[in-house]
Amino acid sequence: MSIHTPKIDKKVTLTMISKMKGVEPITMVTAYDALFAQLFDGEVEMILVGDSLNMSFLGKEDTLSATMDQMIYHTQAVCNGAKLPLIVLDMPFGSYTNPELAVKNATRCYHETNAQAVKIEGGKERAHIVEALTQNSIAVLGHIGLMPQFLRSDGGYKIRGKDAEDIASLVEDAKALEKAGVFAIVVEGVKKEAAKAITDAVSIPTIGIGAGNVTDGQVLVWSDMFGFFEAFKPKFVKQYMDGAKQIRKGLESYRNEVKGREFPSEDYTY
Ligand code: KIV
């Protein structure tokens, strides 16, 4: 049963997100432009300018060719559209391969956009990168489990946490990231038991995607959740509207009316 919750009426801060763990589930969606960001303003606590934009916005097959310039441009647009949510810029593949490069690129995020944090993918092996960022006053959202930037090196999208050994490894990842200073962790594509073990092991919020209902919050890609992205639909995606069908229906009406000289009628004519 869904409950009715009020809109969010103040700017969401990192402190507010931290305090929500164990108190109230956190809502997060992706956005890539000002138009949609404006629609999401006041509806969710956090917006992720995800590198998934490389697929749903640019039409590429994966996220790997997204660039820092691209992420900055779209984050500027999202910040122009949404004033209340905590906005996170997703650091693209190759932009944080060592601490110096990570700090240089993440500094661009603070210089050139109003985003409050960056997200990087990776567990314990990336803890030193997170540490470099947080020690330089850059807020970081971690991302563990199924990590789309590892698609080619892993040979596909692989669901994680299927056995005790992998769950223990994911818990170690989460703890290492917490120690390095992330304010929250995205947990993607893991078995529910793994998501629960991770969430219980850390004192910072976990934001799940394809991780069941046991995390401290949820994130979905907007074009998936509203039925605009049709190439494939992962099991975890719930479609809250059939966007693509609605657009086609609208366009069919437009085409019929233009061809039939019904549009523009006198109502739409100077
Ligand atoms: O790029 C993205 O949209 C993401 C989400 C899937 C968490 O990283």
Side-chain angles (χ1 to χ4, degrees), residues 42-59:
E43 304 289 350
V44 289
E45 278 91 15
M46 297 206 272
I47 288 184
L48 172 68
V49 187
D51 62 357
S52 53
L53 64 82
N54 206 47
M55 298 167 77
S56 52
F57 199 91
L58 198 62

Side-chain angles (χ1 to χ4, degrees), residues 54-72:
N54 206 47
M55 298 167 77
S56 52
F57 199 91
L58 198 62
K60 299 274 188 155
E61 279 198 355
D62 58 39
T63 62
L64 297 184
S65 56
T67 65
M68 206 54 216
D69 283 349
Q70 212 179 322
M71 299 312 300
I72 295 271

